[in-house]
C-alpha cells in the first residue's frame, strides 16, 4: 500500500472582442511524488485557443453561424507509484528463516514525465435556417517520453524495465454533418453523418529498440509498437510471395511461411463513421444508427485452432475441383490444390490430403508449426445497425396541471444486425482486451442483441 501525491498551480485568462474574436489561455504546472525530485518531477500544461465568428459580418445571408478556430495545448503525465526504485519482495519465513527475491520488473529512478503536444484547427457552420450544420477539424498530436515497461534480457534478472520508451504522432480529421431535408409542423426528417480518420506513427523508440512488444500471444503472434509503423502492429510469420504477388507453396503443397516474424497486420482502422436517421411525426419518432469501419486487422486464434481440427467448414466439406468430396483420401480423388505457385514459379498442381483435420493432414498445416500466422489475420471492416429507437411523447394536454413537464416512452434495440463483415464466424469487434491489446480474438462470444424499453420523465 502507498500514497501518491500531486500538487499544482493553475491560471487562466479569457478575452472577447466585438462578439467576434475570442482568445483563451491557460497554464498549469504539476509536481508528482511518483517521479524523481528536482526538475524531473515537474511538468507543464500550457494552452491557447482562438476563434473568429465570421458570421457576425454576414448577417442577413444564408449563413446563420460560422466560426473558425485554432487550438494549441500541452499535457504532462507522471507514472504510477513505486516505479522508481527496485525493492525486494519478501517471502513468508520458512522454518524461522526469512528470504527475499528480486523484482521481475526493474524500476527506473530517471523516468521523465510524459508529454503530449497537440494543435487543432476547425470550421463550424450553420446554414439555411440551421437546416444544414457541419463541423470539420484537423488535429496533430505528438506524444514524447512515453512511460512503459520494455522487454529486456532475462539474464539481467528481470523480464522488463520501466523506461521513457519513445515518441509517436497521431494526426487526423473529424467531420460531422447534420441535415434536415424536410420539416413541417407535424413531420420532420433529420440526417446525421460523422467521419473520423486517424493516422498513427511511432517516430522514436528507446536506445536501439526497433520493436516494443506489448503482448506475446497464443498462436505465435505479438502486438506492439514498431519504429516507423503504427502503434499496434501485429507480428508473426507471413506468407511467402513471388515477384508477382502469388503465394508460394512448398514441396508438400502447403503454403510456405516466412523464415522470421514480420508485420502481418495493423489493428488501427483506416477510418470510421456513422449515419443516423430520425423521422418524426407529431408525437412519434423513429431513429436508427448505422456504424461502419473500414480497415483494421484482427488475428483469430479461433480459426487458428478451428481450421486445424475440423471445427469449421474450411476444407472439411464440399467438393474439390475433381467433383469429389475434399475429405476423401488422395487415392479416392479427394484433397485440394491451394491457389498459388510452386517455388519454381509454375502454377501449383500439388494436391494436399484433407482427410484428416489435424496437423500435417490439414491442407494448411495449421498445427504443424509451419503454417503462416498471416493466414488468420482478417480485415476487421464492418457495417452494423447499431441502434433503433421508437419513441412516443405523451401529448402535453395530458400533463397539464401536473408536476411533469414531459413524458416519453421508448422501445430500444441495440446491435440488431451485422450488415457486412469480413471476419469469419465472429463479430469483428469481439476482442480479448479493451485496453492497448487490440486486434486479437480468442474464444470470441456471439454478439449480444439487446431489446428493451425506457421511460423518461422530466419535471
Amino acid at each position: 500500500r502507498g500514497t501518491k501525491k500531486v500538487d499544482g498551480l493553475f491560471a487562466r485568462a479569457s478575452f472577447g472582442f466585438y462578439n467576434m474574436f475570442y482568445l483563451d489561455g491557460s497554464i498549469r504546472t504539476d509536481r508528482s511524488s511518483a517521479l524523481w525530485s528536482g526538475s524531473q518531477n515537474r511538468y507543464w500544461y500550457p494552452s491557447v485557443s482562438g476563434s473568429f465568428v465570421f458570421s457576425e459580418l454576414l448577417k442577413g445571408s444564408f449563413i446563420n453561424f460560422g466560426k473558425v478556430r485554432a487550438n494549441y495545448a500541452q499535457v504532462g503525465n507522471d507514472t504510477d507509484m513505486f516505479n522508481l526504485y527496485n525493492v525486494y519482495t519478501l517471502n513468508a519465513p520458512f522454518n524461522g528463516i526469512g528470504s527475499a527475491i528480486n523484482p521481475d520488473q526493474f524500476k527506473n529512478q530517471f523516468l521523465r514525465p510524459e508529454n503530449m503536444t497537440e494543435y487543432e484547427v476547425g470550421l463550424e457552420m450553420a446554414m439555411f435556417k440551421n437546416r444544414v450544420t457541419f463541423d470539420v477539424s484537423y488535429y496533430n498530436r505528438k506524444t514524447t517520453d512515453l512511460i512503459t515497461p520494455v522487454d529486456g534480457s532475462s539474464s539481467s534478472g528481470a523480464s522488463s524495465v520501466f523506461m521513457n520508451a519513445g515518441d509517436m504522432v497521431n494526426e487526423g480529421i473529424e467531420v460531422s454533418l447534420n441535415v434536415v431535408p424536410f420539416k413541417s409542423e407535424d413531420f420532420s426528417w433529420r440526417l446525421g453523418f460523422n467521419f473520423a480518420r486517424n493516422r498513427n506513427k511511432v517516430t522514436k523508440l528507446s536506445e536501439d529498440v526497433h520493436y516494443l512488444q506489448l503482448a506475446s500471444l497464443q498462436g505465435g503472434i505479438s502486438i506492439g509498437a514498431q519504429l516507423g509503423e503504427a502503434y499496434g502492429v501485429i507480428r508473426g510469420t507471413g506468407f511467402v510471395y513471388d515477384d508477382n504477388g502469388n503465394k508460394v507453396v512448398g514441396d508438400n503443397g502447403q503454403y510456405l511461411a516466412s523464415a522470421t516474424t514480420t508485420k502481418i497486420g495493423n489493428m488501427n482502422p483506416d477510418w470510421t463513421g456513422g449515419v443516423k436517421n430520425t423521422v418524426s411525426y407529431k408525437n412519434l419518432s423513429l431513429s436508427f444508427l448505422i456504424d461502419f469501419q473500414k480497415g483494421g486487422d484482427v488475428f483469430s486464434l479461433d480459426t487458428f485452432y478451428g481450421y486445424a481440427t475440423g471445427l469449421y467448414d474450411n476444407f472439411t466439406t464440399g467438393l474439390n475441383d475433381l467433383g469429389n468430396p475434399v475429405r476423401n483420401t488422395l487415392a479416392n480423388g479427394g484433397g485440394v490444390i491451394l491457389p498459388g505457385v510452386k517455388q519454381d514459379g509454375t502454377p501449383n498442381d500439388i494436391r494436399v490430403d484433407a482427410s484428416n483435420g489435424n496437423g500435417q493432414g490439414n491442407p494448411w498445416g495449421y498445427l504443424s508449426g509451419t503454417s503462416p500466422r498471416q493466414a488468420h489475420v482478417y480485415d476487421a471492416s464492418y457495417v452494423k445497425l447499431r441502434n433503433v429507437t421508437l419513441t412516443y411523447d405523451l401529448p402535453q394536454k395530458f400533463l397539464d396541471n401536473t408536476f411533469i413537464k414531459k413524458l416519453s416512452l421508448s422501445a430500444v434495440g441495440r446491435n440488431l444486425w451485422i450488415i457486412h463483415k469480413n471476419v469469419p464466424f465472429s463479430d469483428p469487434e469481439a476482442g480479448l482486451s479493451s485496453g492497448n491489446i487490440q486486434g486479437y480474438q480468442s474464444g470470441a462470444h456471439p454478439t449480444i442483441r439487446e431489446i428493451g424499453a425506457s421511460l423518461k420523465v422530466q419535471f
Side-chain angles (χ1 to χ4, degrees):
R1 299 177 60 88
T3 301
K4 182 177 80 170
K5 293 185 178 181
V6 178
D7 60 28
L9 299 171
F10 175 75
R12 178 180 177 181
S14 299
F15 303 92
F17 307 93
Y18 307 110
N19 294 323
M20 287 190 294
F21 301 96
Y22 298 90
L23 181 66
D24 294 269
S26 68
I27 188 167
R28 172 177 169 176
T29 177
D30 282 356
R31 183 177 56 172
S32 172
S33 64
L35 296 170
W36 181 255
S37 62
S39 61
Q40 293 283 91
N41 71 346
R42 183 173 293 279
Y43 42 97
W44 298 81
Y45 300 68
S47 71
V48 61
S49 64
S51 59
F52 170 41
V53 184
F54 59 85
S55 55
E56 290 294 313
L57 303 175
L58 302 172
K59 291 184 177 180
S61 70
F62 67 92
I63 298 177
N64 305 113
F65 179 78
K67 181 176 77 171
V68 292
R69 64 180 186 272
N71 308 295
Y72 172 86
Q74 287 187 2
V75 176
N77 188 34
D78 60 354
T79 183
D80 295 331
M81 54 187 174
F82 306 137
N83 282 340
L84 296 182
Y85 302 104
N86 294 327
V87 294
Y88 291 112
T89 300
L90 298 179
N91 299 321
F94 177 75
N95 198 23
I97 300 175
S99 66
I101 59 174
N102 284 318
D104 60 0
Q105 186 178 75
F106 282 165
K107 312 304 181 180
N108 185 350
Q109 62 178 316
F110 302 109
L111 288 177
R112 300 182 300 276
E114 294 178 359
N115 182 271
M116 185 183 72
T117 302
E118 179 175 358
Y119 66 86
E120 181 251 4
V121 293
L123 171 65
E124 301 173 47
M125 291 194 68
M127 301 174 288
F128 308 110
K129 298 181 180 180
N130 295 318
R131 297 277 289 269
V132 178
T133 63
F134 70 85
D135 187 331
V136 57
S137 64
Y138 166 82
Y139 63 87
N140 185 291
R141 181 186 308 124
K142 182 177 181 180
T143 304
T144 59
D145 290 331
L146 182 68
I147 300 175
T148 188
V150 176
D151 288 343
S153 172
S154 57
S155 63
S156 66
S159 60
S160 62
V161 58
F162 267 93
M163 299 183 68
N164 293 102
D167 305 343
M168 64 181 175
V169 174
N170 284 276
E171 64 172 341
I173 59 172
E174 296 178 346
V175 180
S176 64
L177 171 66
N178 293 281
V179 182
V180 184
F182 186 86
K183 185 178 182 180
S184 66
E185 182 177 353
D186 293 330
F187 180 82
S188 68
W189 174 27
R190 301 176 184 272
L191 279 169
F193 306 87
N194 65 79
F195 172 87
R197 178 181 182 271
N198 181 75
R199 289 294 179 267
N200 174 284
K201 186 176 181 180
V202 178
T203 58
K204 179 183 176 182
L205 291 175
S206 60
E207 299 179 355
D208 296 327
V209 176
H210 293 279
Y211 177 65
L212 175 60
Q213 181 174 284
L214 302 175
S216 177
L217 299 166
Q218 191 176 3
I221 65 111
S222 67
I223 295 176
Q226 183 171 323
L227 188 63
E229 298 285 351
Y231 180 90
V233 297
I234 305 170
R235 288 182 63 91
T237 54
F239 289 106
V240 175
Y241 296 93
D242 68 4
D243 294 338
N244 296 318
N246 300 307
K247 296 175 184 175
V248 180
V249 302
D251 295 337
N252 59 3
Q254 296 176 350
Y255 288 124
L256 293 177
S258 59
T260 59
T261 61
T262 184
K263 174 190 171 184
I264 58 175
N266 176 3
M267 69 182 188
N268 300 283
D270 297 333
W271 49 265
T272 59
V275 179
K276 184 176 183 179
N277 247 306
T278 303
V279 179
S280 301
Y281 178 71
K282 293 186 177 179
N283 290 32
L284 190 67
S285 67
L286 174 67
S287 69
F288 64 88
L289 172 65
I290 295 177
D291 275 352
F292 40 84
Q293 173 177 299
K294 174 65 172 64
D297 296 311
V298 59
F299 176 88
S300 174
L301 189 69
D302 299 334
T303 63
F304 176 80
Y305 284 120
Y307 285 171
T309 56
L311 180 63
Y312 299 124
D313 60 358
N314 184 279
F315 298 128
T316 60
T317 61
L319 304 179
N320 61 15
D321 58 308
L322 301 176
N324 300 320
V326 295
R327 296 188 67 177
N328 284 0
T329 63
L330 293 179
N332 291 322
V336 296
I337 298 176
L338 298 178
V341 298
K342 294 186 290 187
Q343 296 180 72
D344 61 6
T346 60
N348 179 31
D349 58 2
I350 305 172
R351 193 171 300 277
V352 183
D353 180 60
S355 60
N356 183 349
N358 294 301
Q360 292 282 7
N362 183 277
W364 294 59
Y366 283 135
L367 292 185
S368 66
T370 61
S371 67
R373 274 32 179 183
Q374 189 177 1
H376 304 284
V377 175
Y378 301 97
D379 175 18
S381 300
Y382 63 79
V383 180
K384 292 185 176 184
L385 180 59
R386 183 73 73 181
N387 182 282
V388 176
T389 303
L390 180 64
T391 301
Y392 179 73
D393 296 328
L394 193 68
Q396 190 61 40
K397 64 181 180 181
F398 295 107
L399 302 177
D400 291 342
N401 301 319
T402 71
F403 61 91
I404 300 175
K405 293 185 177 181
K406 186 176 181 179
L407 188 149
S408 301
L409 180 64
S410 300
V412 182
R414 297 184 179 89
N415 293 322
L416 297 179
W417 181 21
I418 301 179
I419 302 170
H420 168 77
K421 68 185 182 76
N422 297 316
V423 178
F425 315 116
S426 64
D427 186 337
E429 291 186 294
L432 185 66
S433 167
S434 59
N436 284 334
I437 312 305
Q438 301 289 323
Y440 183 79
Q441 290 190 348
S442 175
H445 292 178
T447 302
I448 297 175
R449 182 183 294 119
E450 299 179 16
I451 298 176
S454 69
L455 177 66
K456 294 182 179 180
V457 181
Q458 296 182 14
F459 302 101

